C-alpha cells in the first residue's frame, strides 16, 4: 500500500501507453507532451548528471549485497565524492534502515521525488538515498507485484528521483537475473556502468553468484570485480581467525571468468549491529 501522499506506479510496462518516470511528476495530468518521449528525455537528463553507476549484484539472496552497497556508498562519500544510493530491491528494500530512515516517507515536489539526504560530519556532500521503502505505509508491508510493476518502478528509480549531480550512483540489486536486472541494464545502455559481484565462500552461494557473473559477461556489462563476503570470523576474545564455510575454489573460478577478487570481508558483529 502506498503512503497517502504518493502513488505507486500502476503498472503496464511497455504496453501501458504512458511514460514510466512521468508518474510522479506534479504536472502529469495536464502535460501535453508525448508521455513516452517525455519519459525518455527525463531519464536521460537524470542519468546525464551521474558519472559512474555501479550495480551491486550476486543473484543469490543473503550474501550481503545490501551491506556491501551501503558501505561502498559511504566509503566513496567519505572520500569526498557526491554519491547516491539507489535501492532496487523491490521486495526487500533495506537501505532506508541502513541510513537511519526506517519508517520515513517522501513527497513529490516540483522536481519529482527528493531522495533522503543522509548527513554525517565525515561526508562532505552527504549521501542521497532513494528506495521503495519510502513509499510504503509500513516497513513490514509486502510488495506483491508482477513484472510490469517492477519494470515501471525501475524507471521511476532512475527518472522520478531527483538525484542531481553525482560522481557515483550505487544500485543495490535484488537477488536473481530477472526483470529488474534486465530492465535496468536496458535503461542504462550507453551509460558509464559496471557491476560489482558479491558472494559468500561456500559452493551453494558461488553456484548462484557465478550465474550473475555470466549474465554480465554475456550482456557485455563490465565487471569491476568480486567481493567475497563472510570470509571468516575473527574471535573477539583471542583475535584468532577461523572459517565458517568450506573453501570452494572461488578464486580459480573467478580467474577462469577473467574477474578479479577485490576483497575478502570477514563476518563482523559491529557491521551487523551498525546495519540494524
Amino acid at each position: 500500500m502506498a503512503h497517502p501522499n504518493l502513488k505507486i506506479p500502476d503498472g503496464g510496462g511497455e504496453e501501458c501507453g504512458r511514460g514510466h518516470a512521468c508518474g510522479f511528476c506534479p504536472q502529469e495530468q495536464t502535460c501535453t507532451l508525448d508521455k513516452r518521449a517525455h519519459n525518455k528525455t527525463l531519464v536521460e537528463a537524470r542519468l546525464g548528471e551521474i558519472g559512474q553507476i555501479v550495480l551491486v549484484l550476486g543473484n543469490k539472496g543473503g550474501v550481503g549485497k545490501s551491506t556491501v552497497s551501503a558501505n561502498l556508498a559511504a566509503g566513496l562519500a567519505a572520500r569526498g565524492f557526491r554519491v547516491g544510493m539507489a535501492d532496487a530491491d523491490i521486495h526487500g528494500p533495506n537501505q532506508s534502515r541502513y541510513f537511519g530512515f526506517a519508517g520515513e516517507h517522501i513527497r513529490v515536489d516540483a522536481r519529482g521525488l527528493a531522495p533522503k539526504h543522509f548527513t554525517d560530519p565525515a561526508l562532505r556532500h552527504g549521501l542521497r538515498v532513494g528506495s521503495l521503502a519510502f513509499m510504503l505505509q509500513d516497513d513490514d508491508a509486502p510488495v506483491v507485484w508482477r513484472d510490469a510493476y517492477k519494470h515501471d518502478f525501475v524507471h521511476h528509480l532512475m527518472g522520478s528521483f531527483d538525484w542531481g549531480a553525482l560522481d557515483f550512483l550505487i544500485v543495490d540489486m535484488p537477488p536473481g537475473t530477472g526483470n529488474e536486472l534486465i530492465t535496468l541494464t536496458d535503461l542504462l545502455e550507453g551509460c558509464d556502468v559496471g557491476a560489482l559481484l558479491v558472494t559468500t565462500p561456500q559452493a551453494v552461494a558461488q553456484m548462484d553468484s557465478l550465474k550473475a557473473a555470466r549474465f554480465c559477461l554475456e550482456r557485455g556489462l563490465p565487471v569491476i570485480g568480486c567481493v567475497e563476503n563472510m570470509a571468516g570470523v575473527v574471535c573477539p576474545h583471542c583475535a584468532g581467525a577461523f572459517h565458517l564455510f568450506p573453501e570452494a575454489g572461488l578464486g580459480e573460478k573467478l580467474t577462469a571468468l577473467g574477474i578479479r577478487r577485490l576483497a575478502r570481508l570477514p563476518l563482523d558483529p559491529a557491521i551487523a549491529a551498525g546495519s540494524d
Side-chain angles (χ1 to χ4, degrees):
M1 184 181 296
H3 185 256
N5 295 305
L6 294 172
K7 57 179 179 178
I8 293 294
D10 53 8
E14 289 296 332
E15 299 176 357
C16 65
R18 62 172 178 74
H20 303 282
C22 296
F24 287 113
C25 177
Q27 285 79 44
E28 183 193 16
Q29 298 302 320
T30 57
C31 181
T32 58
L33 297 174
D34 175 81
K35 295 292 180 69
R36 200 175 297 277
H38 190 206
N39 166 74
K40 185 174 184 292
T41 302
L42 177 59
V43 172
E44 287 177 350
R46 302 281 199 214
L47 296 177
E49 292 191 273
I50 299 171
Q52 172 80 45
I53 300 172
V54 180
L55 308 183
V56 181
L57 50 88
N59 194 30
K60 180 74 172 176
V63 296
K65 296 182 297 297
S66 295
T67 302
V68 171
S69 297
N71 282 278
L72 174 60
L76 289 168
R79 286 160 174 76
F81 293 108
R82 300 166 299 175
V83 181
M85 179 72 254
D87 192 350
D89 193 343
I90 292 170
H91 296 289
N94 301 133
Q95 295 301 334
S96 60
R97 177 166 297 277
Y98 283 145
F99 290 99
F101 298 123
E104 296 191 23
H105 300 101
I106 52 178
R107 299 170 185 265
V108 178
D109 62 24
R111 289 181 56 86
L113 295 172
K116 289 290 183 180
H117 192 215
F118 175 79
T119 58
D120 185 278
L123 310 183
R124 178 182 172 188
H125 301 288
L127 198 152
R128 301 169 196 176
V129 183
S131 174
L132 181 61
F134 301 141
M135 305 175 208
L136 301 178
Q137 187 171 25
D138 303 299
D139 279 345
D140 59 357
V143 179
V144 186
W145 284 356
R146 296 186 185 276
D147 280 351
Y149 288 73
K150 299 177 186 180
H151 184 274
D152 271 5
F153 178 73
V154 170
H155 282 76
H156 281 295
L157 187 63
M158 294 295 111
S160 295
F161 278 91
D162 180 24
W163 294 108
L166 296 176
D167 298 304
F168 292 94
L169 179 65
I170 309 303
V171 186
D172 181 12
M173 296 300 300
T177 53
N179 187 274
E180 296 94 323
L181 182 57
I182 295 168
T183 300
L184 194 55
T185 49
D186 284 345
L187 193 63
L188 298 178
E189 202 161 311
C191 296
D192 190 358
V193 58
L196 178 66
L197 299 173
V198 180
T199 187
T200 48
Q202 74 272 39
V204 68
Q206 290 182 33
M207 182 172 65
D208 287 344
S209 298
L210 292 174
K211 292 174 185 174
R214 294 184 69 90
F215 172 93
C216 295
L217 296 174
E218 292 170 8
R219 181 70 193 233
L221 176 64
V223 179
I224 298 167
C226 179
V227 172
E228 183 181 345
N229 197 25
M230 307 181 198
V233 181
V234 176
C235 176
H237 304 292
C238 68
F242 60 95
H243 293 276
L244 292 176
F245 306 116
E247 174 60 44
L250 176 63
E252 294 85 351
K253 293 171 183 175
L254 292 174
T255 299
L257 292 171
I259 297 172
R260 293 185 300 158
R261 179 162 52 187
L262 300 177
R264 305 182 78 177
L265 306 180
L267 276 166
D268 189 333
I271 292 179
S275 297
D276 282 351

